[in-house]
Amino acid sequence: MEFSYVNPTHIHFGQGKIASVSSAIPSTSKVLVIYGGGSIKKNGVYQQVQDALANHTWLEFSGVEANPTMETLDKAVAIAKTEEIDYILAVGGGSVIDGAKYVAAAACYDGAGWDILLGKHTVTEAIAIGAVLTLPATGSESNAASVITRAETQDKLPFFSPAVQPKFAVLDADAMKTLPERQLINGLVDAWVHICEQYLTMPTGAMVQDGYAEALLKNLLVLAEQYDQRETLNWRENLMWTANQALNGLIGTGVPQDWATHMIGHELTALYGVDHARSLAIVQPSLLRNQLVVKKAKLEQLGSNVFALPASDDLAERTIAAIEAFYHGLNVATQLTEHGEDKAAAIDKIIGQLTAHNMVKLGENQAITLTQSREILELAVK
Ligand code: NZQ
Ligand code: ZN
C-alpha cells in the first residue's frame, strides 16, 4: 500500500441542502447552470437552485442527454467561452455532471474538446464545478472522472483530471422522489459494480479498503431486499451515500483495480444504447466466469463476507451465481439482447470498437486481451 489520498469535494448532505449552493459559489462568480432533459423542473430542484442563485449572475444550458455527447456539450463550451463563465453548476445525474466536467475543461483549451478524450490534451485547468445530484449511481459528484460520447462515431471514452473534480456536491435525497424505477435500479447496479471493480481483483490484505467495500456491498444487498421501502427518506439517503462512497476514490486507494467490465460495457452503450448500469450487468458475470482462476480468492472472500455463503470448493462459482441472482432479483438482464442482428456480427462489431479504442489489455493484470473479450462476449451476447 502506497498512496497520496485526498477527496477535496465538500459534501452538503441532507434535506434542504440545495440552499447551500448560495454560499458555496462565490457571489462574484458568473455561473453556468447545466442540466438535462428537464426532470429538475418536475421535482422542485430547479426552483431551489434558482432561489439559491438569487444573488448571483447566472445563465443556463439544458438538454444534456443521458450518455452525454460531445456534439451537445460543445454548444455549452462555446457559451462558457464567450460569456466568460467562471463557475459551472451541474444539476442532474452522472451524465450532466460528466458533461459539465467536459465543458469546464474544454472551455479552458483552444483546441477541439475531443482531444481531451483522445489523450491529445491533458487537462490541468478547468472552470470550477459544483454539483447538485439528482440520481445516485456514478459517484461523479465527488470524483475526477468523466465519460463522454461522440455520437457521430459511436465512441464513448473516459477522461480523468483532478481539475474537474467538483469543489462541492449537494446530496439531498428528496431530489430522488421523481426518479423512475429503472433509474433507481440502475443506481443500485452501477454502485455495486463500482465497488466490485475496485475489490474483485486479488488479495492484498488491505483491511480498510476490503472491509469498507464489503460494508458498502452489504448495504446495496439490503437496499435491494428492502426495495419496497424505496419511498422512504432513509432508503433514499442510504442509497445516495452508498453510491457516493462507492466511487469517491477511497476504497480503490492503494489497491489493484479492474474496470474491464466498464470498458466493455461502454461499447455496448455506444453501439446499442444500453443504459450504463445495464451494460455492466450484462458483461460482469461473463467476465467473472472468464477470469475465475485469477479472481478466485477475492470471489470467495466476497461470497463469504457479503453473501454469507458457506465454504466449499465451488464457492467462487456460487458467488458469481449470487451476483447474477442479485441482478435478476432487480429484473436486470445479464445477457445482451438489444443487438438487433446476428450474434457473431454483434461480437465482431464490439471487438472492432474495443480495438479502435485501444481497449486491448484490460483488467488488473492487463490480461483481458481481445481474445478474452471475445470469449466474454460469446457468453454475454444472446
Ligand atoms: O435529463 P434528465 O431530465 O435529468 O433525466 C435523467 C435521464 O433521463 C433522469 N433523471 C436524473 N435524475 C432524475 C431523473 N429523472 C427523474 N427524477 C430525477 N431526480 O435519469 C436519466 C438518466 O440520467 P443519467 O445522468 O444518464 O444517469 P446516471 O447517473 O446513471 O449517469 C450515467 C452516465 O454516467 C457515466 C455513464 O457512462 C453514463 O454516461 N459514468 C460516469 C462515471 C463517473 N463520472 O465516475 C462512472 C460511471 O461508471 C459511469 O461510466
Ligand atoms: Zn459505472
Side-chain angles (χ1 to χ4, degrees):
M1 258 197 272
E2 199 179 300
F3 54 83
S4 305
Y5 174 74
V6 64
N7 187 307
T9 304
H10 190 148
I11 304 281
H12 303 280
F13 195 101
Q15 287 179 298
K17 293 287 183 186
I18 296 175
S20 53
V21 165
S22 156
S23 52
I25 301 182
S27 57
T28 49
S29 299
K30 187 168 183 186
V31 184
L32 181 63
V33 175
I34 297 187
Y35 60 98
S39 66
I40 64 164
K41 295 209 166 153
K42 296 184 189 126
N43 53 21
V45 169
Y46 182 82
Q47 185 62 49
Q48 290 176 69
V49 167
Q50 227 174 3
D51 294 347
L53 291 176
N55 296 318
H56 287 76
T57 305
W58 62 282
L59 306 171
E60 64 177 60
F61 180 85
S62 64
V64 176
E65 59 278 79
N67 307 305
T69 65
M70 174 203 82
E71 286 86 346
T72 298
L73 297 167
D74 277 343
K75 295 175 193 156
V77 174
I79 295 172
K81 283 181 175 173
T82 51
E83 295 289 339
E84 297 181 351
I85 295 295
D86 48 26
Y87 219 106
I88 291 178
L89 182 65
V91 187
S95 293
V96 167
I97 302 171
D98 282 8
K101 290 174 177 177
Y102 171 90
V103 174
C108 296
Y109 172 59
D110 284 337
W114 193 249
D115 286 353
I116 296 168
L117 285 304
L118 294 177
K120 286 188 190 164
H121 168 60
T122 304
V123 176
T124 53
E125 207 193 329
I127 297 172
I129 299 173
V132 175
L133 184 68
T134 64
L135 194 177
T138 63
S140 184
E141 67 278 9
S142 67
N143 70 35
S146 167
V147 189
I148 305 298
T149 297
R150 183 173 183 154
E152 186 199 350
T153 44
Q154 292 181 304
D155 298 321
K156 182 174 170 81
L157 294 172
F159 80 95
F160 307 87
S161 171
V164 298
Q165 173 144 354
K167 307 286 177 224
F168 71 90
V170 178
L171 277 64
D172 176 351
D174 277 348
M176 296 165 64
K177 280 182 179 167
T178 46
L179 270 175
E181 299 230 357
R182 180 180 186 83
Q183 300 299 342
L184 262 189
I185 289 169
N186 286 353
L188 282 167
V189 170
D190 195 21
W192 175 273
V193 180
H194 292 159
I195 303 163
C196 292
E197 297 276 28
Q198 301 162 88
Y199 169 93
L200 266 183
T201 58
M202 62 200 68
T204 59
M207 294 168 74
V208 170
Q209 292 90 326
D210 279 5
Y212 196 35
E214 288 163 5
L216 296 172
L217 288 169
K218 282 192 266 189
N219 286 355
L220 294 171
L221 282 187
V222 170
L223 292 168
E225 273 163 27
Q226 298 178 347
Y227 191 68
D228 60 342
Q229 294 173 35
R230 63 193 175 282
E231 301 291 335
T232 65
L233 181 64
N234 191 250
W235 192 96
R236 288 186 180 127
E237 288 190 330
N238 278 311
L239 177 58
M240 205 165 220
W241 192 225
T242 301
N244 173 275
Q245 296 292 295
L247 197 49
N248 75 343
L250 179 61
I251 60 170
T253 297
V255 297
Q257 301 190 22
D258 181 343
W259 298 103
T261 295
H262 268 72
M263 294 310 121
I264 301 172
H266 286 167
E267 304 299 357
L268 305 187
T269 300
L271 288 173
Y272 303 110
V274 182
D275 288 1
H276 170 65
R278 286 161 203 268
S279 77
L280 307 176
I282 289 167
V283 174
Q284 194 205 31
S286 295
L287 185 142
L288 294 176
R289 291 199 168 97
N290 183 269
Q291 296 293 303
L292 185 82
V293 175
V294 288
K295 290 185 183 289
K296 188 161 190 266
K298 271 323 240 327
L299 279 165
E300 289 176 349
Q301 187 180 331
L302 181 113
S304 112
N305 292 356
V306 176
F307 288 108
L309 298 173
S312 70
D313 289 345
D314 63 350
L315 178 55
E317 287 94 324
R318 285 192 297 122
T319 303
I320 299 172
I323 294 173
E324 215 164 30
F326 168 65
Y327 298 145
H328 293 163
L330 293 166
N331 279 321
V332 172
T334 49
Q335 284 210 301
L336 180 72
T337 53
E338 293 93 330
H339 50 82
E341 56 194 294
D342 71 273
K343 175 173 167 165
I347 293 173
D348 283 345
K349 207 161 158 181
I350 301 162
I351 292 289
Q353 288 296 78
L354 284 169
T355 313
H357 300 143
N358 201 26
M359 299 292 172
V360 294
K361 281 184 184 176
L362 301 173
E364 66 273 20
N365 302 307
Q366 276 95 60
I368 304 184
T369 65
L370 293 174
T371 309
Q372 282 72 35
S373 287
R374 187 176 281 280
E375 289 166 9
I376 291 163
L377 290 164
E378 288 289 347
L379 290 175
V381 177
K382 197 155 184 160

